[in-house]
Amino acid sequence: MAWENWTTVTEFVFKGFTDRLDFQVTLFMLFLLIYVTTVIGNLSITAAVWLDSQLHAPMYFFLGHLSFLDLCYSSVVTPKMLLILLSERKTISFAGCFLQLYFYAAFATTECYLLAGMAYDRYVAICNPLRYPILMSKRVCVSLLAGSYAVGFFNSVVFTGFALRVSFCGPNVIDHFFCDGPPLSKLACSDTSLNQMLLFAFGGFNEVTTTSVILISYGHILFTILRTGSALGKAFGTCASHLVVVTIFYGTLIFMYLRPSSSYNLRRDKIVSVFYTVVTPMLNPFIYSLRNKELKNALKRTVGRMIISLPKCQKPLPKSELSSEKLNHRRSRAELVAWSVSYQSLSAAVAIGLIKLQMAEQNHTSAAEFVLKGLSDQGEVKAALFVLLLLIYTITLLGNAGIIVAIQGHPRLHTSMYFFLGSLSIVDICFSSVVAPRTLVNFLLEKKTISFAGCMGQTFFYIVFVTSECFLLAVMAYDRYVAICKPLLYSSVMTQRLCVGLVVGCYIGGVLNSIIQMTFIIRLPFCSSNVINHFFCDVPPLLALSCSSTYINEMILFSLAGVIELSTISAILVSYIFIFFAILRIRSVEGRQKAFSTCVSHLIVVTMLYGTTIFMYLRPSSSYSLNTDKVVSVFYTVVIPMLNPLIYSLRNKEMKDALRRTAERITVRL
């Protein structure tokens, strides 16, 4: 390349925000949450505008493209920033740095002109409403959009082209979190006055031009409203969101780039840059959707379309309708089972792909397999434990499968409460099957090995199902709250969409938590011992084998587990507080006992699961005792999935009757 003759720097190093690891992990979690919200919010608006015919108007045409632009704009900066927050070597190649600068400048300039185009659209809609369809035709809208992109990318080509002519032959540490113009100019070892003049000239021209269009448009809008009276006050309400976005975006850009280079303060500028590169793209969807009734309704309809074909949570049916509804329910249940199998297959594909990708990248992981130390080395103890765990696992499968079959085969159990209970039984079977079969096999083998991929896969699915169970128990508490505190609204509140949406949300939360944790676990080098002092691949014993610092992993484990435990426990506690006060208002003692009896089983399961998981994961790593932890792990991975069906069936007359009838049917067939 032409610039290589006088540029000796081949890569740059980002200084980032801080060198303290605890702050880096906190910032990572914060920015990850913001970026996920940005992606979901902007994709939702884009999908709603594209799919909903009621939003096929110029205003929403521009809004959809603004959301797409915000998504691209944020994705140029945020993913790399998240990566460098948790990397020891915060580098970016020379070409990668200037590509980031190029697309950042292109999308930022395009957004300025798009906001000006949106102001012109509001001017025509309010000041010339009768001519609006003619003036804002499809051709005009597409031309304004294409012109915004053309000017944005032309501006970026000129600016980046002159930036590449500057020589970088000295320090390569960028005091920033992405490749922006001012911090790059600080590293140049040649004259940058021409670049600063171009930045000021082009930036000034873009800002003055677009700001003038916006001010003139809103000046006409204001005079039109004052001239015609308050009838158009509602019309001006459609401009409020746009004005808020313009103020936020232009305020930060003018502060950053339209001032003398002598006034640059890179530490202060980093904070301002976070606002307009990370926070503003997240806020835009909320600003536009919260103040726009049409858009909110379109988003609801879009979400409704996505889950309209999923199976129902049905209310109890009268006897006359039971036989006629059996076939439909079985079909719905079959669809749910098929969806669950597909979802688990997709999760497996994600896990395997993640493992293969990371194994390909990490040549420093020398452990091709791990050795599980197990629970005991004594022959007679191993035999007794094998028989005991085999008995427990068999009871787990029979008990949970019995509950699933009973709920499927008895229409009287086709309610939201039993829908969630059946889903809990499915999770318990999967949760136990991730750990128990491998543990049983290891009791009979002399060499208790597990491959690297197998170990990571076991950890992945273990985290998925234990997290999903935590969220599902919180959902079941909410179901009991609605049933006891709002009995007349129960069937209308716990609808088909809400029931299935809550269960799907539990699985999604489990998969996301597992992907985040596994991404950082797989990057660890395991180059010393490969003996895991446990009976399955749990996170703490795996971290103990790493030959590098696991501080970041421990912080992520503590942070994610803390957020999940606190959020779900808070939902459970709030639900039961309302339930407690609702029960106190019931006058009859029998009514109180009947209302509270439906919650006792759930409370027992919650206490057992949360007590053991909090003990295991929400404590400092210095207090880990792997021998003690193995005993506790047996309880919540093997024993609790066995106890859950017993707890729910022994205290529930309807469930006991359904299980008895199911057993009789099987006996008759045999």
Side-chain angles (χ1 to χ4, degrees):
M1 294 183 184
W3 60 81
E4 288 179 352
N5 293 330
W6 59 85
T7 295
T8 58
V9 172
T10 59
E11 65 179 13
F12 294 101
V13 179
F14 290 116
K15 195 170 183 181
F17 296 97
T18 178
D19 294 328
R20 293 184 55 177
L21 284 176
D22 50 347
F23 285 171
Q24 289 180 3
V25 174
T26 303
L27 289 174
F28 172 83
M29 299 302 298
L30 175 62
F31 291 142
L32 178 63
L33 177 63
I34 292 174
Y35 183 60
V36 170
T37 306
T38 301
V39 173
I40 294 174
N42 285 289
L43 280 179
S44 299
I45 289 182
T46 305
V49 172
W50 181 267
L51 297 174
D52 200 298
S53 58
Q54 296 184 21
L55 300 185
H56 292 175
M59 181 177 77
Y60 296 109
F61 172 81
F62 290 123
L63 178 57
H65 283 280
L66 179 66
S67 295
F68 173 75
L69 199 59
D70 278 333
L71 187 59
C72 298
Y73 179 46
S74 178
S75 298
V76 169
V77 176
T78 311
K80 184 65 180 179
M81 180 183 65
L82 292 172
L83 184 62
I84 65 173
L85 278 172
L86 295 180
S87 300
E88 293 183 5
R89 198 162 178 262
K90 303 174 173 61
T91 59
I92 185 172
S93 66
F94 186 91
C97 182
F98 278 88
L99 276 175
Q100 188 181 54
L101 175 64
Y102 171 78
F103 284 108
Y104 160 73
F107 290 128
T109 309
T110 303
E111 184 154 343
C112 289
Y113 281 93
L114 186 59
L115 289 172
M118 295 172 73
Y120 174 72
D121 170 75
R122 290 299 83 208
Y123 154 72
V124 177
I126 295 174
C127 300
N128 296 284
L130 298 179
R131 302 179 61 195
Y132 183 64
I134 300 173
L135 294 176
M136 296 304 297
S137 62
K138 185 176 181 180
R139 180 179 297 179
V140 173
C141 293
V142 173
S143 299
L144 289 173
L145 179 67
S148 300
Y149 277 100
V151 175
F153 278 87
F154 173 76
N155 176 79
S156 184
V157 166
V158 175
F159 179 69
T160 309
F162 277 89
L164 286 170
R165 295 176 62 85
V166 176
S167 59
F168 299 93
C169 50
N172 65 339
V173 179
I174 301 175
D175 191 9
H176 215 289
F177 59 90
F178 76 102
C179 292
D180 198 4
L184 272 176
S185 65
K186 295 282 186 180
L187 303 182
C189 51
S190 61
D191 185 21
T192 61
S193 58
L194 179 59
N195 296 70
Q196 293 170 8
M197 288 295 295
L198 281 172
L199 174 62
F200 192 82
F202 274 82
F205 176 80
N206 294 328
E207 295 286 340
V208 170
T209 303
T210 54
T211 304
S212 299
V213 173
I214 294 171
L215 291 177
I216 292 172
S217 298
Y218 278 106
H220 283 284
I221 290 172
L222 180 61
F223 283 119
T224 301
I225 292 175
L226 294 177
R227 187 174 62 251
T228 56
S230 59
L232 289 176
K234 184 179 179 181
F236 189 73
T238 62
C239 306
S241 302
H242 182 257
L243 281 172
V244 173
V245 172
V246 166
T247 304
I248 294 173
F249 189 69
Y250 276 81
T252 50
L253 286 183
I254 291 173
F255 173 81
M256 279 296 297
Y257 300 112
L258 296 186
R259 55 196 173 102
S261 60
S262 58
S263 64
Y264 288 158
N265 183 326
L266 294 179
R267 290 188 177 181
R268 180 189 59 200
D269 293 350
K270 277 192 285 189
I271 300 173
V272 179
S273 299
V274 167
F275 194 77
Y276 70 83
T277 58
V278 181
V279 178
T280 300
M282 177 196 70
L283 294 178
N284 288 354
F286 291 101
I287 293 171
Y288 278 103
S289 61
L290 293 177
R291 296 187 59 88
N292 192 311
K293 187 177 180 180
E294 287 183 346
L295 186 56
K296 285 192 287 187
N297 292 335
L299 288 170
K300 291 178 183 178
R301 289 193 295 269
T302 303
V303 175
R305 289 172 184 170
M306 294 171 63
I307 60 176
I308 195 170
S309 60
L310 294 174
K312 294 183 178 181
C313 302
Q314 300 176 2
K315 59 182 180 180
L317 299 171
K319 291 183 179 180
S320 60
E321 299 181 15
L322 292 181
S323 59
S324 63
E325 292 292 330
K326 278 185 179 180
L327 185 58
N328 290 335
H329 175 74
R330 288 177 180 175
R331 287 175 181 172
S332 298
R333 181 64 66 174
E335 290 173 3
L336 179 61
V337 172
W339 178 88
S340 299
V341 172
S342 301
Y343 183 83
Q344 291 169 16
S345 301
L346 178 61
S347 299
V350 171
I352 294 170
L354 184 64
I355 291 168
K356 288 182 177 180
L357 178 63
Q358 295 293 338
M359 288 180 67
E361 293 178 352
Q362 299 296 328
N363 295 325
H364 55 267
T365 298
S366 59
E369 64 180 13
F370 293 102
V371 178
L372 295 168
K373 196 170 182 181
L375 295 169
S376 175
D377 294 328
Q378 299 181 14
E380 61 276 10
V381 176
K382 288 165 62 177
L385 288 174
F386 173 81
V387 174
L388 177 62
L389 292 182
L390 179 62
L391 177 63
I392 291 174
Y393 183 57
T394 303
I395 296 173
T396 300
L397 294 180
L398 293 176
N400 286 288
I403 286 181
I404 295 169
V405 172
I407 292 173
Q408 180 181 359
H410 293 80
R412 287 192 175 277
L413 301 184
H414 297 173
T415 64
S416 299
M417 182 179 77
Y418 293 109
F419 175 81
F420 293 129
L421 179 56
S423 301
L424 180 66
S425 294
I426 292 174
V427 172
D428 278 334
I429 289 176
C430 298
F431 180 36
S432 180
S433 298
V434 169
V435 176
R438 184 73 197 186
T439 305
L440 291 171
V441 170
N442 285 340
F443 278 124
L444 304 177
L445 298 176
E446 293 184 3
K447 192 179 180 183
K448 304 176 178 64
T449 59
I450 184 172
S451 66
F452 182 87
C455 184
M456 296 298 111
Q458 186 181 55
T459 307
F460 175 83
F461 285 108
Y462 163 74
I463 297 173
V464 168
F465 291 121
V466 73
T467 308
S468 300
E469 183 152 346
C470 289
F471 284 118
L472 190 56
L473 289 173
V475 167
M476 295 173 74
Y478 173 72
D479 173 75
R480 291 299 81 209
Y481 154 73
V482 177
I484 295 174
C485 300
K486 299 180 179 181
L488 299 179
L489 298 174
Y490 183 62
S491 59
S492 60
V493 173
M494 301 304 295
T495 60
Q496 165 197 358
R497 293 180 179 181
L498 183 61
C499 291
V500 178
L502 289 172
V503 173
V504 171
C506 293
Y507 280 106
I508 291 175
V511 171
L512 287 177
N513 176 47
S514 184
I515 287 175
I516 293 172
Q517 294 206 41
M518 291 305 301
T519 300
F520 291 97
I521 291 174
I522 292 174
R523 294 176 64 86
L524 291 175
F526 300 96
C527 48
S528 54
S529 174
N530 67 336
V531 179
I532 300 176
N533 188 15
H534 215 288
F535 61 92
F536 76 101
C537 293
D538 198 5
V539 177
L542 274 175
L543 298 183
L545 298 184
S546 177
C547 51
S548 66
S549 174
T550 60
Y551 178 77
I552 292 176
N553 297 74
E554 293 167 7
M555 288 296 297
I556 290 175
L557 173 63
F558 188 84
S559 301
L560 290 176
V563 169
I564 292 168
E565 296 283 344
L566 287 176
S567 59
T568 52
I569 288 176
S570 298
I572 293 170
L573 290 178
V574 171
S575 298
Y576 276 107
I577 288 172
F578 281 103
I579 290 172
F580 177 74
F581 285 110
I583 291 175
L584 291 180
R585 289 195 295 269
I586 300 175
R587 294 183 179 180
S588 65
V589 176
E590 184 180 355
R592 292 180 182 177
Q593 291 177 347
K594 185 177 180 180
F596 192 71
S597 64
T598 62
C599 306
V600 173
S601 302
H602 181 258
L603 281 172
I604 294 173
V605 172
V606 166
T607 303
M608 291 192 303
L609 181 67
Y610 278 83
T612 51
T613 53
I614 288 173
F615 173 80
M616 281 295 297
Y617 301 111
L618 294 183
R619 56 195 173 104
S621 59
S622 58
S623 65
Y624 287 158
S625 172
L626 294 179
N627 291 326
T628 304
D629 293 350
K630 280 193 286 188
V631 179
V632 179
S633 298
V634 169
F635 188 75
Y636 72 83
T637 58
V638 181
V639 178
I640 288 180
M642 177 197 69
L643 294 178
N644 286 355
L646 301 178
I647 293 170
Y648 277 104
S649 61
L650 293 177
R651 298 191 57 87
N652 190 311
K653 187 177 179 181
E654 287 183 340
M655 179 59 70
K656 285 192 291 186
D657 292 340
L659 288 170
R660 188 182 300 113
R661 289 193 295 271
T662 302
E664 290 173 356
R665 290 176 183 175
I666 295 174
T667 304
V668 169
R669 291 179 181 178
L670 292 175

